[in-house]
Amino acid sequence: MAERVVLVTGSLAEPRVKRVAEQVQSDALEPVVANVGVKVAALMTTDIVERRLKLPEGADRVVMPGRFRGDLDRLSDHFGTRFERGPDEVADLPEYLGHAKEKVDLSQHNMTIFAEIVDATLMTPAQIVERSRVLRADGADVIDLGCLPDSPFPHLEEAIAALHADGVRVSVDSFNSEELSRATKAGADFLLSLSEKNIDIADEGPAVPILVSAGAADMDSLDRVIDIMIAKGKPYYADPILDPIHYGFAASVARYVDLRKRRPDVPILMGIGNVTELTDADTTGINALLMGLCSELDITAVLAVQVSPHCRTAIREFDRARREFYAAKKAGSLPQGFGGGLMALRDRRGFATTSDEIKTLAAQIRDANYRIEVAEDGVHIYNRDGHHVSDDPFQLYPHLDTRADPGHAFYLGVETARAEIAYRLGKRYAQDEPLEFGVVAETRGSADDAHLMKFKDAGSTLKKGETPDKG
């Protein structure tokens, strides 16, 4: 028997909801549209729904509009049927109805993120701890102290102790064997990096070494030092070294693939900075691809840096990537539909409605409030006095009557600017809501809010102490 789902809506959106209902109807799903009798569904209150909603017989659940701010538990008790909050946009109903029962769990992963403080030698222990807290908040599991070749690190032991006291694991990254020896004796948790030339340092303290070849791209050397650690019966990571693009990048990827193929049980670390830091491209896509390599090759540790300004969210991005890809791999799925935290510039479905749908809705408006929407042909703004479309907000301004209200003019300027950005990038725009940029620039309502049973914060026109009103 098909599940009977009631889709509650208002008069203005009813035609669009009915079209969606026709699209998704199947042997397993019977959607029924219920108009409560108000124009805008988001303005419904719990009392109005209790008074006006007539549920059809045999309703299995009721889906309220995403912007409905009433009490779902109260409605569930009143009608004796489960009420739930659906998506904000009608365009997202088909996907919601197909996946409403699936919960995306992003709490799990199987990867350790090392975050390097590249200028640790120039910082005090207190400054190092302060920086580490920021990196850990972004998702770092281990703080890596970078040692500079020509910069002494007399406070190395003190820095390790301070980080341990703050509850964080520590690695030390140095080309100087004397510094690596000091680090493990001081209780460092990891050493970057040891080769067959200085592998004896692994016996001087508890630190887990990250193993590299003694010469550039010498996989035989890396194999030999791996065998040494296996013979010692001690833990380690192997790192074939990821090289920058045009300086051996493709060959270095092949080294990771080759190592995993030959030695399926070897724990591997990948340093991603040579690609993220040395490529003029947004790091979200780069990190997604690198995480894809890690996921397929069972690489369970990465070393990330955030030196270049364009890499300032690299750790946060990789933290999100490891969670989404782990969930996808566990589900035997492509990395799609697991939160979209790495969708920064564009959205999978950038436009929530079509130009024709907006025209139909605009023709029904009988009040002076300005509505703003975005479709493939540009930014739409409309009220009872007219409907105007342009890809340039300055072309819309002459059609807006804001002479008596400077606050309202400012508000419309902000919203049309947001709408233009969304139009040009192909992002989802909703009036009074901030644009979403995934984990790159988290704002109210972004990232995981779609998975939380809570209300979004008030939008642009509803902040306490402010006067602008979109009407």
Side-chain angles (χ1 to χ4, degrees):
M1 182 179 295
E3 180 187 24
R4 176 169 285 190
V5 180
V6 179
L7 307 177
V8 178
T9 186
S11 301
L12 292 180
E14 183 179 14
R16 291 159 66 182
V17 177
K18 283 185 174 179
R19 282 195 293 273
V20 169
E22 293 172 358
Q23 294 171 7
V24 301
Q25 186 165 354
S26 67
D27 293 340
L29 184 68
E30 181 189 355
V32 180
V33 179
N35 185 344
V36 174
V38 297
K39 281 191 174 182
V40 181
L43 301 180
M44 292 185 294
T45 66
T46 305
D47 289 337
I48 288 176
V49 175
E50 286 182 346
R51 290 198 310 268
R52 299 187 182 183
L53 178 61
K54 306 297 182 183
L55 283 185
E57 291 186 7
D60 295 299
R61 59 188 169 109
V62 180
V63 177
M64 301 297 292
R67 295 189 178 91
F68 170 69
R69 306 181 78 87
D71 188 334
L72 296 177
D73 291 335
R74 175 177 153 185
L75 291 173
S76 297
D77 291 340
H78 178 82
F79 288 95
T81 302
R82 178 163 64 92
F83 277 65
E84 59 193 53
R85 188 170 286 106
D88 286 353
E89 304 294 345
V90 175
D92 296 326
L93 264 175
E95 182 178 3
Y96 176 84
L97 292 171
H99 299 84
K101 295 180 180 179
E102 298 178 10
K103 296 287 186 178
V104 178
D105 180 9
L106 298 181
S107 66
Q108 301 179 44
H109 62 81
N110 64 345
M111 174 167 285
T112 300
I113 295 178
F114 291 65
E116 183 177 2
I117 300 177
V118 296
D119 52 351
T121 60
L122 307 178
M123 302 169 64
T124 67
Q127 291 171 330
I128 290 172
V129 169
E130 183 178 0
R131 176 83 64 84
S132 79
R133 290 175 179 172
V134 175
L135 298 174
R136 290 159 65 191
D138 282 346
D141 304 295
V142 179
I143 297 302
D144 181 58
L145 299 177
C147 300
L148 301 175
D150 299 320
S151 178
F153 203 162
H155 54 296
L156 172 61
E157 290 82 356
E158 187 181 355
I160 293 171
L163 288 169
H164 278 163
D166 204 46
V168 62
R169 290 180 291 170
V170 183
S171 65
V172 174
D173 191 345
S174 177
F175 292 109
N176 186 315
S177 292
E178 187 268 336
E179 286 179 329
L180 292 173
S181 179
R182 287 171 55 202
T184 190
K185 291 174 182 176
D189 300 279
F190 301 91
L191 295 180
L192 281 81
S193 304
L194 297 186
S195 69
E196 57 182 332
K197 292 182 178 180
N198 60 356
I199 191 61
D200 290 343
I201 295 175
D203 296 324
E204 297 180 7
V208 175
I210 283 71
L211 307 177
V212 297
S213 62
D218 186 349
M219 290 299 289
D220 290 337
S221 174
L222 181 58
D223 278 326
R224 287 192 293 270
V225 75
I226 290 173
D227 289 336
I228 290 172
M229 289 304 298
I230 291 175
K232 291 177 181 293
K234 292 184 176 181
Y236 64 92
Y237 284 103
D239 183 5
I241 306 297
L242 189 68
D243 289 322
I245 294 171
H246 295 159
Y247 289 86
F249 170 68
S252 67
V253 170
R255 291 197 297 269
Y256 284 93
V257 175
D258 174 67
L259 178 60
R260 176 54 73 221
K261 183 178 180 179
R262 292 186 297 103
R263 311 189 78 146
D265 299 324
V266 165
I268 301 176
L269 175 144
M270 176 185 285
I272 64 175
N274 279 345
V275 178
T276 54
E277 291 281 335
L278 303 179
T279 305
D280 280 350
D282 293 322
T283 52
T284 49
I286 293 175
N287 280 329
L289 286 176
L290 294 180
M291 185 61 235
L293 287 172
C294 291
S295 184
E296 288 198 0
L297 299 177
D298 292 319
I299 295 172
T300 56
V302 294
L303 171 65
V305 293
Q306 295 184 165
V307 178
S308 176
H310 83 287
C311 296
R312 64 182 180 271
T313 58
I315 292 169
R316 192 187 306 167
E317 294 163 25
F318 221 94
D319 175 54
R320 182 63 179 228
R322 64 177 172 175
R323 297 174 188 277
E324 291 192 11
F325 281 58
Y326 181 84
K329 189 172 184 178
K330 190 175 180 180
S333 171
L334 295 168
Q336 294 180 337
F338 290 87
L342 299 179
M343 299 286 285
L345 286 182
R346 293 178 175 85
D347 292 332
R348 182 164 293 281
R349 297 186 63 189
F351 304 122
T353 187
T354 67
S355 179
D356 288 342
E357 288 174 335
I358 297 174
K359 290 177 183 176
T360 300
L361 179 60
Q364 302 176 54
I365 298 301
R366 297 293 181 265
D367 58 64
N369 297 337
Y370 286 108
R371 279 83 168 176
I372 303 172
E373 296 192 64
V374 175
E376 291 187 356
D377 57 344
V379 178
H380 292 244
I381 188 165
Y382 56 92
N383 65 359
R384 68 186 178 193
D385 299 318
H387 176 197
H388 308 282
V389 187
S390 178
D391 61 0
D392 181 359
F394 284 101
Q395 300 300 316
L396 299 173
Y397 175 74
H399 304 289
L400 308 180
D401 183 7
T402 59
R403 291 167 295 180
D405 191 344
H408 190 201
F410 176 81
Y411 161 76
L412 290 176
V414 169
E415 285 299 321
T416 53
R418 282 177 177 167
E420 181 192 9
I421 293 170
Y423 166 70
R424 297 197 181 282
L425 292 180
K427 297 191 68 62
R428 181 66 62 87
Y429 169 81
Q431 191 171 351
D432 290 341
E433 297 289 343
L435 297 180
E436 296 184 10
F437 295 94
V439 298
V440 172
E442 289 186 317
T443 57
R444 293 176 296 105
S446 65
D448 293 328
D449 278 3
H451 302 291
L452 303 178
M453 293 302 293
K454 69 175 188 178
F455 294 127
K456 292 181 179 179
D457 294 335
S460 303
T461 63
L462 298 174
K463 294 178 183 177
K464 183 177 180 181
E466 295 183 355
T467 58
D469 176 49
K470 65 181 178 181

